[in-house]
Amino acid sequence: MAKPQPSWYLGGPEAPSSPRTMRTLRKIQSHQVLTSSSALIAQTQSSYPSGARAVDGSTAAQPSAAIRAPTRRPRSNSDATTREVTPAAPAPTQRRPARKTGSGVGIKRSLLENLVRDGPQNGDTHEALQELKYLVLSTRVDADGDGMSPYRVYLWSILLNVSPVPTDDYLALVHRGGSPAYAKIRNDTFRTLATDPLFKRRVTEASLIRLLNAVAWKLRDSKTRPRSRPSSSRRREMELLVNTPPSIQEEPDLDDRGSVHSTAVSDSAIYVQGMNVLCAPFLYAARSEVEAFALFHYFVTKECPGYIRGAMDGVHRGLRLVDRCLEIVEPKLAAYLFSKGMYAELYAFPSVLTLCACTPPLPEVLHLWDFLFAYGPHLNILCIVAQLIRMRDTLLESPSPNKILRSLPPLDAKDIIALTVLLVQKIPNDLYAEMINHAK
């Protein structure tokens, strides 16, 4: 079956030949945007009115009609039973006339939603992508109290540059039955965000099992599939951009929110403990398992493959970066924690591995991920540092900061993002480059 044509956000004829090169360039460009003064002004704004200036100083363009995201509809949550109660219609005396919009929908859409739905103006995907990132930074994705948004999954697909996956391809993986990692998956899924009522109400354990098992099959197939010899130009590019993955050693055991336990390593890296928590927000935000599968598989294989190797070398590099960044931006706090033997490897392992998905509440995790997918998941390192800075006084006053760091305070995505953008300016370029590549 031929793969579907990619959406408007995928590269056209002028796109670089290497997706990895494209991702690296986009992250470097994001760094330049975040370190500019205009970006710092933008992130403090609470709204983005029509006609306001974009990050580059140009007037925000109204996107033209192109490929539209699917309209609002209930999420197909596989075998989950429907728990939502349909609200009763208001009395005639309470009904208000709907506001008119260009699409005929009764509720006025935000600029961010319009851009996601309508696509770029005049086919200029680069300018539209920059505007989309600016809107993510300066506004929040429209969502209800549970963190649900009808267009967030499409926003993530655009920002991560993920093509749709045919449903039949996903079903074929599911119908293959249990993968070699099936027993480990079943041992983890029941405790995934077990204390989060929003997640448990919306996502079934069966959905988690199917998706993780399908990804395990996909990863196993990629290990056993014979590889063709690359061309000379492609080989030179790989030598410059691709690091040889280290050998599989050990992996830590994690509880329902990612706390570390010791355990023996499995004979394969098609699944490591902690992938269940990293997968959870994708399943929660997506409108189908297939959408979540496409996003999650891309993310763990392209954005953070070092996180899911048996040795989790990318996670350990990230932990060292947390200590180094904290030492630069908040030397007094870093010195105090180090004097107490509190290094990031003792308290930040779950936060690095899961991009802070281990810290509730889940709706704030989703808002934080909007920012991370727009400007690069590597910024999660600074998001963790930002959380420590927000706890600075409490930590400095405590004779036993290890007790406080056993569980981080609830996420406040808006404040963490604002502080993270300020911290970007203080990070030296060479250290920032290490952040970009630490998960590869």
Side-chain angles (χ1 to χ4, degrees):
M1 179 180 295
K3 291 186 177 180
Q5 292 297 321
S7 301
W8 66 265
Y9 50 86
L10 297 178
E14 299 180 358
S17 58
S18 168
R20 189 182 187 112
T21 303
M22 185 63 176
R23 290 192 300 274
T24 302
L25 289 176
R26 286 172 59 182
K27 290 177 181 178
I28 294 175
Q29 291 170 352
S30 297
H31 178 218
Q32 295 171 345
V33 171
L34 287 176
T35 53
S36 65
S37 58
S38 58
L40 295 177
I41 295 173
Q43 63 86 24
T44 60
Q45 297 175 348
S46 59
S47 62
Y48 186 74
S50 177
R53 292 285 177 179
V55 174
D56 58 359
S58 60
T59 303
Q62 293 298 326
S64 61
I67 296 179
R68 297 175 179 269
T71 56
R72 300 171 184 265
R73 61 175 176 82
R75 174 178 181 267
S76 54
N77 190 17
S78 21
D79 57 354
T81 56
T82 302
R83 294 178 174 85
E84 294 82 0
V85 179
T86 304
T93 56
Q94 298 175 335
R95 189 168 299 173
R96 297 179 180 178
R99 289 178 290 183
K100 299 294 184 181
T101 62
S103 63
V105 180
I107 300 177
K108 187 176 181 179
R109 298 201 303 254
S110 66
L111 288 177
L112 180 57
E113 183 176 1
N114 278 332
L115 185 55
V116 171
R117 288 174 174 269
D118 298 337
Q121 185 179 30
N122 301 325
D124 190 344
T125 57
H126 176 75
E127 181 180 350
L129 185 60
Q130 297 307 313
E131 182 181 358
L132 196 66
K133 291 181 177 182
Y134 179 89
L135 291 171
V136 169
L137 182 63
S138 58
T139 67
R140 286 169 70 97
V141 171
D142 295 330
D144 60 21
D146 292 346
M148 300 308 303
S149 169
Y151 65 91
R152 173 175 273 129
V153 65
Y154 308 112
L155 172 66
W156 288 2
S157 297
I158 293 170
L159 295 173
L160 293 176
N161 204 19
V162 177
S163 301
V165 170
T167 302
D168 288 344
D169 291 359
Y170 176 69
L171 291 177
L173 294 169
V174 172
H175 292 159
R176 288 169 68 175
S179 69
Y182 181 74
K184 288 192 65 178
I185 292 171
R186 287 299 303 269
N187 190 50
D188 288 344
T189 51
F190 74 93
R191 50 185 176 175
T192 303
L193 305 188
T195 59
D196 194 315
L198 294 178
F199 179 78
K200 302 304 289 186
R201 183 168 67 242
R202 182 169 179 81
V203 180
T204 65
E205 184 184 358
S207 297
L208 268 172
I209 293 171
R210 282 193 297 269
L211 193 150
L212 291 170
N213 195 66
V215 169
W217 276 124
K218 191 79 171 177
L219 293 176
R220 181 177 176 86
D221 291 347
S222 66
K223 287 175 174 292
T224 58
R225 184 183 302 117
R227 300 180 179 179
S228 60
R229 183 179 180 83
S231 62
S232 58
S233 60
R234 176 61 176 161
R235 194 181 309 119
R236 287 193 297 270
E237 184 180 356
M238 291 169 63
E239 291 173 354
L240 292 174
L241 296 178
V242 181
N243 296 322
T244 303
S247 58
I248 298 173
Q249 299 173 16
E250 301 187 326
E251 63 181 6
D253 189 8
L254 306 174
D255 65 9
D256 66 301
R257 282 204 174 263
S259 299
V260 183
H261 304 282
S262 61
T263 185
V265 64
S266 65
D267 60 349
S268 173
I270 62 175
Y271 175 81
V272 295
Q273 290 174 331
M275 285 175 66
N276 57 314
V277 180
L278 185 60
C279 170
F282 288 109
L283 262 177
Y284 185 83
R287 300 159 73 93
S288 71
E289 284 182 30
V290 182
E291 290 175 338
F293 168 80
L295 287 165
F296 179 65
H297 177 260
Y298 172 88
F299 189 78
V300 297
T301 56
K302 303 299 183 183
E303 293 292 342
C304 60
Y307 283 9
I308 65 168
R309 294 191 191 106
M312 291 187 172
D313 52 292
V315 179
H316 293 291
R317 285 195 294 266
L319 293 169
R320 292 191 290 270
L321 287 170
V322 170
D323 287 333
R324 292 170 61 187
C325 291
L326 181 63
E327 199 168 15
I328 290 174
V329 302
E330 194 61 54
K332 182 178 179 180
L333 177 59
Y336 181 72
L337 292 178
F338 297 164
S339 69
K340 299 291 186 178
M342 292 303 298
Y343 295 92
E345 63 183 5
L346 298 178
Y347 61 84
F349 191 99
S351 297
V352 173
L353 172 61
T354 67
L355 269 69
C356 295
C358 59
T359 306
L362 190 52
E364 293 298 305
V365 172
L366 301 180
H367 285 299
L368 185 64
W369 278 27
D370 297 336
F371 167 73
L372 293 177
F373 292 164
Y375 289 94
H378 60 280
L379 289 174
N380 180 53
I381 300 298
L382 294 183
C383 289
I384 297 171
V385 173
Q387 293 177 70
L388 295 174
I389 294 176
R390 296 180 72 232
M391 304 166 60
R392 180 180 183 275
D393 293 341
T394 303
L395 291 171
L396 291 176
E397 294 172 0
S398 173
S400 302
N402 60 311
K403 296 180 180 180
I404 300 174
L405 292 175
R406 287 175 183 172
S407 60
L408 296 178
L411 286 180
D412 185 331
K414 183 179 180 180
D415 288 351
I416 291 173
I417 291 170
L419 184 53
T420 297
V421 174
L422 295 175
L423 295 179
V424 169
Q425 294 187 114
K426 301 182 179 181
I427 304 300
N429 290 338
D430 56 343
L431 182 57
Y432 195 89
E434 289 186 48
M435 286 173 50
I436 290 177
N437 295 314
H438 81 276
K440 304 304 181 187

